[in-house]
């Protein structure tokens, strides 16, 4: 009888441990199974906050697709096929690379901005980050490996459109962390002039801990993140704490415009401010009052686009 009770207890304990590891795996690598986000209309309206904002997104999405964007492909440093949309207006005067965030895609986060840049005379390149959408990859790495992908997209973009036109990059959320981490790499194109950093976190480890503790209200968040770090090393061959935007910005020399919504409850506002303070190059900060995560460009479209335009014009040639 005692043996049976002990066995049942052992099996129950092992089941809980297995469920815990499955939960942590899904917490880190959920996009592995979805590849691209599938959201209901109600979820999208909630994301964009109002039906009016959502309608604008749909209009801009339809405009984007009506331009019949080309699909560009490169091979990553570790052998993945990475793909990107390309819009090329007539008589373009500059080029911009737009990097989307976690569990998202280029159109969902950049439809409105892609239209703005396209109509303003920019060649627009919108990659699918690894492990998302049209790009290969089993595991996303929260900017750690994506920074090398971003560098390679910049190099390829510069080859296609030449070095005689200014080149810029902008990222939102994880895409923001990606572009900021990219700034410290060697071999960036000589015509890369400036960066737009919209609502980025500081490091994979810090954002995982923040989300687990403050968004999901999980007990033992430090244990979850510690376990997650072991799992990222085992499955995806990177550590959550091996690199950060703070480390990159101490080596960066490019001008950066930091943007963050004051009501962001997913990536906290203070992380952009920490990035701003760590940045040793020329820099500006634009706080969007009342904007939640990743939608500042829609909530405050006029001021956002005017601020971005003035900043990019300032660092042109």
């Amino acid at each position: 009888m005692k043996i049976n009770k002990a066995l049942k207890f052992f099996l129950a304990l092992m089941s809980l441990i297995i469920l815990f590891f499955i939960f942590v795996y899904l917490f880190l690598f959920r996009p592995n199974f979805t590849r691209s986000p599938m959201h209901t209309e109600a979820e999208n309206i909630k994301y964009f906050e109002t039906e009016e904002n959502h309608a604008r997104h749909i209009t801009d999405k339809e405009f984007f697709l009506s331009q019949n964007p080309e699909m560009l492909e490169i091979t990553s440093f570790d052998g993945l096929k990475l793909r990107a949309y390309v819009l090329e207006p007539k008589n373009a005067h500059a080029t911009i690379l737009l990097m989307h965030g976690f569990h998202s895609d280029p159109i969902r986060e950049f439809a409105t901005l892609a239209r703005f840049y396209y109509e303003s005379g920019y060649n627009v390149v919108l990659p699918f980050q690894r492990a998302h959408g049209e790009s290969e990859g089993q595991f996303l790495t929260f900017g750690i490996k994506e920074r090398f992908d971003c560098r390679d997209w910049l190099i390829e973009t510069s080859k296609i459109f030449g070095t005689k036109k200014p080149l810029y990059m902008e990222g939102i959320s994880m895409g923001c962390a990606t572009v900021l981490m990219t700034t410290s790499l060697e071999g960036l194109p000589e015509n890369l002039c400036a960066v737009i950093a919209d609502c980025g976190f500081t490091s994979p480890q810090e954002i995982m801990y923040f989300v687990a503790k403050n968004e999901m209200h999980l007990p033992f968040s430090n244990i979850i993140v510690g376990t997650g770090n072991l799992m990222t090393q085992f499955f995806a061959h990177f550590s959550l704490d091996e690199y950060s935007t703070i480390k990159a910005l101490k080596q960066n020399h490019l001008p950066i415009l930091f943007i963050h919504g004051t009501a962001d409850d997913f990536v906290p506002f203070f992380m952009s401010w920490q990035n701003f303070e760590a940045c040793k190059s020329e820099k500006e900060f634009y706080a969007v009052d009342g904007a939640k995560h990743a939608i500042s460009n829609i909530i405050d479209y006029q001021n956002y686009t005017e601020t971005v335009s003035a900043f990019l014009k300032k660092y042109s040639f």
Side-chain angles (χ1 to χ4, degrees):
M1 183 68 69
K2 290 182 179 181
I3 294 176
N4 288 337
K5 287 183 178 180
L7 180 60
K8 288 180 180 179
F9 176 79
F10 174 77
L11 291 175
L13 180 62
M14 290 303 297
S15 297
L16 288 174
I17 291 173
I18 291 170
L19 288 172
F20 173 75
F21 277 100
I22 291 173
F23 168 79
V24 175
Y25 185 93
L26 292 175
F27 177 61
L28 291 166
F29 300 122
R30 182 162 51 105
N32 295 4
F33 305 98
T34 57
R35 297 297 302 175
S36 60
M38 299 295 291
H39 301 285
T40 65
E41 183 177 2
E43 288 172 334
N44 280 327
I45 291 173
K46 182 179 179 181
Y47 174 80
F48 290 106
E49 289 201 328
T50 67
E51 292 186 9
E52 182 181 359
N53 291 340
H54 180 238
R56 175 168 197 154
H57 167 73
I58 294 299
T59 298
D60 293 335
K61 176 181 178 179
E62 291 173 350
F63 173 86
F64 178 89
L65 295 174
S66 73
Q67 305 309 307
N68 298 314
E70 297 180 10
M71 189 68 77
L72 181 64
E73 180 177 288
I74 64 171
T75 301
S76 70
F77 70 95
D78 52 355
L80 300 177
K81 298 296 183 183
L82 305 177
R83 298 178 178 87
Y85 289 122
V86 179
L87 291 178
E88 187 176 358
K90 294 180 180 179
N91 303 315
H93 63 82
T95 302
I96 190 160
L97 178 76
L98 304 176
M99 302 297 289
H100 72 78
F102 173 85
H103 199 213
S104 190
D105 63 53
I107 298 179
R108 188 168 198 246
E109 288 189 347
F110 282 112
T112 296
L113 283 178
R115 179 174 185 174
F116 164 74
Y117 285 123
Y118 177 78
E119 293 182 335
S120 300
Y122 289 77
N123 298 308
V124 186
V125 182
L126 303 100
F128 289 89
Q129 297 252 44
R130 61 172 54 212
H132 289 74
E134 298 297 320
S135 288
E136 293 181 346
Q138 187 176 2
F139 299 105
L140 60 88
T141 67
F142 306 96
I144 300 295
K145 294 182 180 180
E146 287 85 353
R147 72 188 193 271
F148 300 108
D149 301 339
C150 184
R151 175 201 60 192
D152 293 345
W153 278 120
L154 289 168
I155 292 171
E156 183 67 19
T157 297
S158 188
K159 288 179 181 177
I160 293 172
F161 298 114
T163 59
K164 294 183 179 181
K165 296 176 181 178
L167 173 63
Y168 307 99
M169 58 178 173
E170 176 171 357
I172 289 178
S173 193
M174 188 186 83
C176 176
T178 298
V179 301
L180 291 179
M181 291 183 192
T182 303
T183 61
S184 66
L185 297 178
E186 296 182 356
L188 298 176
E190 62 184 21
N191 61 323
L192 180 59
C193 297
V195 180
I196 309 295
D198 189 337
C199 66
F201 51 80
T202 49
S203 76
Q205 180 165 276
E206 288 172 351
I207 192 60
M208 288 296 102
Y209 180 76
F210 180 86
V211 170
K213 182 179 180 180
N214 297 285
E215 292 302 306
M216 303 180 74
H217 305 291
L218 299 175
F220 311 111
S221 296
N222 56 336
I223 296 176
I224 291 172
V225 175
T227 303
N229 201 25
L230 293 175
M231 295 180 79
T232 58
Q233 293 176 58
F234 180 81
F235 289 108
H237 310 296
F238 79 99
S239 297
L240 292 173
D241 59 353
E242 75 176 72
Y243 205 59
S244 70
T245 58
I246 302 298
K247 291 179 181 178
L249 287 166
K250 291 179 179 179
Q251 303 175 58
N252 164 64
H253 299 291
L254 292 165
I256 300 178
L257 170 61
F258 294 89
I259 301 173
H260 212 118
T262 61
D264 194 333
D265 54 6
F266 188 71
V267 175
F269 181 86
F270 70 78
M271 286 192 175
S272 273
W273 190 252
Q274 289 176 340
N275 284 331
F276 178 80
E277 291 186 319
C279 182
K280 303 304 179 185
S281 65
E282 295 183 62
K283 57 190 178 182
E284 297 179 19
F285 198 103
Y286 168 44
V288 182
D289 188 42
K292 292 188 176 181
H293 186 62
I295 58 172
S296 291
N297 64 89
I298 290 182
I299 295 297
D300 195 22
Y301 177 83
Q302 191 66 34
N303 289 328
Y304 189 108
T305 54
E306 288 178 359
T307 301
V308 166
S309 294
F311 180 81
L312 296 182
K313 184 178 181 180
K314 182 177 178 181
Y315 297 103
S316 184
F317 60 80

